[in-house]
Amino acid sequence: QVQLVESGGGLVQAGGSLRLSCAASGRTFSTYAMGWFRQAPGKEREFVAAMGWNGANTRYADYVKGRFTISRDNAKNTVYLRMNSLKPEDTAVYYCAAEDTFQDIVLLTTTAYDYWGQGTQVTVSS
């Protein structure tokens, strides 16, 4: 069992930046694949970014590629999402997710993850 707590959301103007954090507790964080997803009102939860064990294996959704960066600090049991050049369409609740994996892989779908945080709101004003 692992518990995830996101933080760092808020209100920002278009073009601005935020860094989300997701602190994990409970079990060995270093063997978990991690992901960030988001859900806007009236829409389904969608993939944003994912990372394998050691941080070298990453994937991004096309709509955030070049603007968002996922990273992790296994010593701090924390995964981050740095978001630059934010757009109004990035407005959503952002969730981090974790899954214990037996190899260094990235997971891209909501159904692949067993553990989820409570979410943090990101609002981008135009």
Side-chain angles (χ1 to χ4, degrees):
Q1 188 82 9
V2 63
Q3 292 79 43
L4 304 172
V5 179
E6 301 100 333
S7 61
L11 173 64
V12 64
Q13 288 188 331
S17 298
L18 284 173
R19 189 181 77 159
L20 306 184
S21 299
C22 173
S25 62
R27 291 185 62 179
T28 306
F29 177 74
S30 61
T31 62
Y32 279 77
M34 301 297 296
W36 285 97
F37 292 77
R38 68 187 185 187
Q39 188 166 17
K43 296 187 176 182
E44 293 191 353
R45 194 169 298 188
E46 63 181 11
F47 170 73
V48 174
M51 172 171 277
W53 287 352
N54 65 10
N57 197 357
T58 60
R59 294 290 188 277
Y60 296 92
D62 287 343
Y63 35 81
V64 305
K65 198 172 295 184
R67 300 188 296 124
F68 291 12
T69 303
I70 187 171
S71 61
R72 66 191 293 163
D73 185 337
N74 286 343
K76 295 182 178 180
N77 285 6
T78 302
V79 64
Y80 305 96
L81 185 68
R82 177 67 180 181
M83 305 185 295
N84 295 329
S85 303
L86 282 161
K87 306 175 181 179
E89 52 265 42
D90 293 319
T91 295
V93 177
Y94 282 72
Y95 298 89
C96 74
E99 180 65 20
D100 196 2
T101 57
F102 295 98
Q103 54 185 320
D104 183 19
I105 59 174
V106 290
L107 302 174
L108 308 183
T109 62
T110 57
T111 55
Y113 291 92
D114 283 335
Y115 304 106
W116 292 84
Q118 83 289 350
T120 185
Q121 176 71 47
V122 172
T123 302
V124 184
S125 63
S126 57

